[in-house]
């Protein structure tokens, strides 16, 4: 599963339902300002806040409370008040918050109790309930507890919550370096990896992308494949496959024409999945936005209900891509499946078969979960390939710009003497307003250049186009009778219109 947060989860915030969850002895609810005094008994107690190395002031405690209330609204989670059922006593806080862990965001289970309620098992009881809430209600794939290395009591709670230590790192807080241990527990649910292939179908004078095959691989949380699904689909208005899709997928038009309809295949899919879904919750994943979007549009076109498990697929392309870093920078936020297979050392090319591609996605996700290091030599190849592609695209753009400007300024074959008409000065003023590379400053009575003002009456200026380099340039030559100079500026789409205005107006004279 995706361990970090690829994008913000939209958990529903409902202010009228303050109670979040409950256990045998306690329940957790959202806090408000009426809890401030109880909260101060925790945060302002040096014994409780030993791991923080200082007791909070009341101002800091108030900020803490406001931050939790803001989290309820923005994240749908936060630290909640822990209330004992028997007497409604405020015991402490426990809940789920979004935290930074090694340059990624994760969901953390945290707990802080009043000193007199320590060693009664309340923290363990509430933390376990938060874990179950995270997995079964929020459908998170993993939760964490980030604990200072000297906080042995909290570490025992994490271990009792089936968590395992995964990494030790240093936090800089309150002017000190504090080693912390991150504990993790993963959701023991089933994971469904889905892929589809699609092609354009013409209907009512328009082309629609429709799904022609659906594949899925189901595995347990340890990565063991349980079963798989694959069927080709006959879109309602299908006539023939496009040549490109046929070559890539190795499918034939006859195969698609003899396939079941979208409604029938989705019914088979739900029946196949149902036998496993009854036993354990299922988290579904896809790669890139196209599969989910195309399937949704196809269902709308044929008026078929899209299964919920496919509606809530998590897109793994971005989190997987963001794990590939070169010199501290993400190579690309949207790497292809083939590129990711290479950098993670997974053999074989992407086959563009829905089932095999789903299997590739499953293997990639397992590498990501296991924090398997990427192959540096493959990352370097990928970076070089992208640089070469970017350079080729830049050269193509430059050639296109060069040709467009050559045609646009065909009317100007030599030097043009600049006349300082009002419209010419206005064009220069507009140019200098957005182009810091233009070293001339046009004023009411003259031009400010190289630290001195030259009056228009004493200034001789010419403009001409130069086509020697990879990009076209415009040259401004200046003379005030005693000194000469020239300015070379690249021509681009933004300044071309102003240069054209200046040249044509001065040539008309």
């Amino acid at each position: 599963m995706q361990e970090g947060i690829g994008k913000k989860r939209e958990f529903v915030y409902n202010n009228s339902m303050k109670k979040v969850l409950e256990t045998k002895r306690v329940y957790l609810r959202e806090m408000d300002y009426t809890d401030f005094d109880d909260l101060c008994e925790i945060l302002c107690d040096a014994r409780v806040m030993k791991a923080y190395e200082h007791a909070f002031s009341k101002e800091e405690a108030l900020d803490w409370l406001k931050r939790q209330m803001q989290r309820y609204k923005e994240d749908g989670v936060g630290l909640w008040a822990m209330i004992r059922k028997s007497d409604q006593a405020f015991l402490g806080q426990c809940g789920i918050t979004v935290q930074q862990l090694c340059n990624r965001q994760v969901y953390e289970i945290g707990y802080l109790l009043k000193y007199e309620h320590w060693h009664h098992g309340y923290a363990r009881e509430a933390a376990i309930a938060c874990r179950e809430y995270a997995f079964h209600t929020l459908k998170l794939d993993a939760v964490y507890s980030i604990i200072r290395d000297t906080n042995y009591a909290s570490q025992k709670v994490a271990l009792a919550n089936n968590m395992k230590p995964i990494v030790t790192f240093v936090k800089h807080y309150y002017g000190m370096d504090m080693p912390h241990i991150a504990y993790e527990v993963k959701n023991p649910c089933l994971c469904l990896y889905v892929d589809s292939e699609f092609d354009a179908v013409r209907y009512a004078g328009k082309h629609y992308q429709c799904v022609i095959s659906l594949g899925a691989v189901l595995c347990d949380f340890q990565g063991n494949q349980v079963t798989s699904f694959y069927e080709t689909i006959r879109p309602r208005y299908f006539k023939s496959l496009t040549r490109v899709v046929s070559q890539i997928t190795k499918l034939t038009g006859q195969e698609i024409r003899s396939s079941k309809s979208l409604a029938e295949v989705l019914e088979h899919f739900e029946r196949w999945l149902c036998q496993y879904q009854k036993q354990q919750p299922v988290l579904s994943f896809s790669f890139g936005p196209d599969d989910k979007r195309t399937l949704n549009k196809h269902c709308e076109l044929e008026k078929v209900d899209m299964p919920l498990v496919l509606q809530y697929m998590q897109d793994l392309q971005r989190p997987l891509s963001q794990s590939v870093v070169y010199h501290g920078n993400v190579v690309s936020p949207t790497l292809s499946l083939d590129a990711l297979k290479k950098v993670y050392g997974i053999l074989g090319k992407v086959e563009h078969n829905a089932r095999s591609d789903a299997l590739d996605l499953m293997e990639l996700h397992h590498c990501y979960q296991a924090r398997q290091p990427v192959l540096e030599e493959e990352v370097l190849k990928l970076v070089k390939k992208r640089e070469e592609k970017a350079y080729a695209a830049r050269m193509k753009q430059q050639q296109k710009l060069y040709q467009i400007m050559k045609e646009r300024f065909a009317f100007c074959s030599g030097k043009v003497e600049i006349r300082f008409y009002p419209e010419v000065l206005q064009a220069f003023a507009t140019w200098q307003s957005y182009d810091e590379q233009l070293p001339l400053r046009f004023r009411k009575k003259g031009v400010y250049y190289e630290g001195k003002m030259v009056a228009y009456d004493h200034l001789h200026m010419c403009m001409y186009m130069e086509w020697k380099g990879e990009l076209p340039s415009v040259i401004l030559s200046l003379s005030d009778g005693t000194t000469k100079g020239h300015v070379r500026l690249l021509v681009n789409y933004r300044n071309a219109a102003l240069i054209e205005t200046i040249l044509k107006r001065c040539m008309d004279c």
Side-chain angles (χ1 to χ4, degrees):
M1 303 303 101
Q2 180 184 346
E3 297 172 335
I5 303 169
K7 58 183 179 181
K8 194 172 222 176
R9 293 174 180 264
E10 297 181 353
F11 302 139
V12 177
Y13 172 73
N14 188 342
N15 194 41
S16 63
M17 294 290 290
K18 281 199 159 187
K19 187 184 289 187
V20 181
L21 57 91
E22 60 182 298
T23 69
K24 184 178 180 180
R25 295 185 295 169
V26 302
Y27 65 86
L28 303 183
R29 62 160 175 80
E30 293 174 358
M31 293 187 288
D32 60 25
Y33 290 113
T34 62
D35 298 309
F36 179 68
D37 289 338
D38 283 308
L39 193 60
C40 285
E41 290 185 37
I42 301 171
L43 300 177
C44 302
D45 187 337
R47 297 169 299 177
V48 176
M49 304 299 288
K50 185 177 180 181
Y52 289 77
E53 292 293 343
H54 79 296
F56 280 19
S57 65
K58 289 201 172 183
E59 289 75 20
E60 288 174 312
L62 182 59
D63 289 340
W64 178 285
L65 177 58
K66 288 179 179 178
R67 187 157 65 250
Q68 304 315 314
M69 294 166 68
Q70 191 68 21
R71 280 170 166 163
Y72 303 152
K73 293 180 181 179
E74 294 182 354
D75 300 332
V77 290
L79 288 176
W80 301 302
M82 186 192 304
I83 308 298
R84 187 163 54 200
K85 290 181 178 179
S86 60
D87 58 1
Q88 299 301 302
F90 186 109
L91 305 181
Q93 307 170 85
C94 186
I96 302 168
T97 58
V98 177
Q99 301 289 347
Q100 282 291 127
L101 174 60
C102 300
N103 298 321
R104 62 195 175 106
Q105 288 186 311
V106 299
Y107 288 94
E108 183 199 24
I109 294 176
Y111 30 86
L112 272 173
L113 275 68
K114 290 182 180 179
Y115 186 78
E116 63 265 34
H117 300 303
W118 285 17
H119 310 302
H120 294 288
Y122 292 125
R124 179 176 59 184
E125 184 175 330
I128 291 172
C130 284
R131 181 198 69 198
E132 295 304 299
Y133 180 81
F135 289 164
H136 298 292
T137 302
L138 304 183
K139 306 297 184 185
L140 300 181
D141 50 351
V143 285
Y144 301 77
S145 282
I146 302 169
I147 304 167
R148 193 171 175 187
D149 64 341
T150 56
N151 191 349
Y152 303 115
S154 289
Q155 291 175 33
K156 287 181 180 179
V157 173
L159 293 171
N161 205 6
N162 291 332
M163 291 185 168
K164 295 179 180 179
I166 58 167
V167 65
T168 299
F169 63 100
V170 175
K171 275 188 177 183
H172 187 75
Y173 177 74
Y174 211 63
M176 291 181 288
D177 290 330
M178 300 180 181
H180 280 68
I181 304 171
Y183 288 79
E184 176 195 62
V185 60
K186 293 182 178 179
N187 193 336
C189 66
L190 293 172
C191 305
L192 182 71
Y193 298 90
V194 180
D195 188 77
S196 63
E197 303 298 333
F198 36 86
D199 197 4
V201 173
R202 187 174 177 83
Y203 168 66
K206 294 182 180 180
H207 284 92
Y208 297 89
Q209 289 291 324
C210 292
V211 179
I212 57 172
S213 67
L214 180 66
V217 175
L218 190 68
C219 68
D220 60 29
F221 215 90
Q222 285 69 45
N224 303 310
Q225 185 176 334
V226 177
T227 184
S228 64
F229 176 91
Y230 178 79
E231 280 195 41
T232 51
I233 298 171
R234 184 190 72 254
R236 182 176 296 174
Y237 308 105
F238 177 80
K239 291 184 179 179
S240 62
L241 287 175
T242 59
R243 181 181 299 176
V244 172
V245 172
S246 181
Q247 289 175 344
I248 291 175
T249 64
K250 305 297 190 292
L251 293 170
T252 66
Q254 181 57 38
E255 285 180 273
I256 303 303
R257 281 189 289 271
S258 61
S259 302
K260 301 291 185 183
S261 68
L262 176 66
E264 291 174 299
V265 172
L266 290 181
E267 183 182 345
H268 296 169
F269 173 80
E270 289 192 283
R271 195 183 306 137
W272 163 78
L273 185 60
C274 186
Q275 57 187 318
Y276 304 98
Q277 205 169 16
K278 286 179 179 178
Q279 303 167 18
Q280 291 174 275
V282 173
L283 290 176
S284 54
F285 302 92
S286 61
F287 186 83
D290 291 341
D291 290 285
K292 184 177 177 180
R293 181 170 55 226
T294 303
L295 188 56
N296 185 50
K297 291 291 185 182
H298 192 176
C299 287
E300 289 179 0
L301 181 65
E302 299 200 14
K303 296 180 172 56
V304 175
D305 291 333
M306 185 172 170
L308 285 175
V309 72
L310 299 181
Q311 290 183 35
Y312 292 103
M313 290 188 296
Q314 298 179 39
D315 181 1
L316 291 179
Q317 185 180 30
R318 285 189 176 274
L320 290 175
S321 298
Q322 288 169 357
S323 68
V324 182
V325 177
Y326 181 73
H327 288 174
N329 298 313
V330 173
V331 173
S332 168
T334 52
L335 289 174
S336 67
L337 199 64
D338 194 49
L340 285 165
K341 284 186 68 175
K342 289 178 181 177
V343 298
Y344 272 110
I346 298 174
L347 300 177
K349 292 184 178 180
V350 173
E351 296 181 13
H352 298 287
N353 169 278
R355 179 161 46 195
S356 66
D357 289 359
L359 187 60
D360 285 339
L361 179 58
M362 180 191 76
E363 291 186 39
L364 279 170
H365 199 200
H366 292 164
C367 292
Y368 172 83
Q369 285 181 298
R371 297 179 181 80
Q372 177 178 317
V374 296
L375 302 177
E376 293 298 331
E377 63 273 19
E378 291 296 336
V379 174
L380 184 58
K381 288 179 185 178
L382 180 61
V383 170
K384 287 184 176 179
K385 186 176 180 180
R386 290 182 62 82
E387 288 176 346
E388 290 170 359
K389 188 176 180 181
Y391 176 78
R394 190 163 60 250
M395 289 298 102
K396 187 176 180 180
Q397 282 293 103
Q398 288 183 3
Q399 290 169 8
K400 183 179 179 181
L401 173 65
Y402 191 95
Q403 187 60 37
I404 289 173
M405 295 305 165
K406 191 79 173 177
E407 294 173 4
R408 184 169 190 169
F409 291 97
F411 67 89
C412 180
S413 57
K415 289 186 178 181
V416 175
E417 185 176 351
I418 301 300
R419 304 288 184 180
F420 300 105
Y421 300 119
E423 54 267 47
V424 171
L425 292 177
Q426 181 59 49
F428 273 120
T430 303
W431 188 358
Q432 74 183 21
S433 68
Y434 65 76
D435 190 352
E436 295 181 355
Q437 300 302 314
L438 183 63
L440 307 175
R441 291 294 175 262
F442 291 82
R443 302 292 185 253
K444 188 175 182 179
K445 295 183 178 181
V447 178
Y448 196 76
Y449 175 59
E450 291 190 344
K452 65 178 182 178
M453 177 69 72
V454 181
Y456 293 126
D457 293 343
H458 300 95
L459 180 64
H460 181 261
M461 180 184 292
C462 291
M463 179 184 285
Y464 59 95
M465 305 299 296
E466 187 176 81
W467 308 96
K468 294 180 180 179
E470 294 179 344
L471 290 173
S473 302
V474 61
I475 310 297
L476 289 169
S477 62
L478 304 94
S479 173
D480 62 358
T482 57
T483 59
K484 295 182 180 180
H486 72 275
V487 176
R488 175 182 281 103
L489 295 163
L490 294 177
V491 180
N492 54 50
Y493 291 112
R494 193 173 184 185
N495 63 22
L498 296 170
I499 296 170
E500 185 178 9
T501 298
I502 294 167
L503 288 171
K504 286 185 174 180
R505 179 66 184 89
C506 293
M507 291 174 72
D508 285 345
C509 66

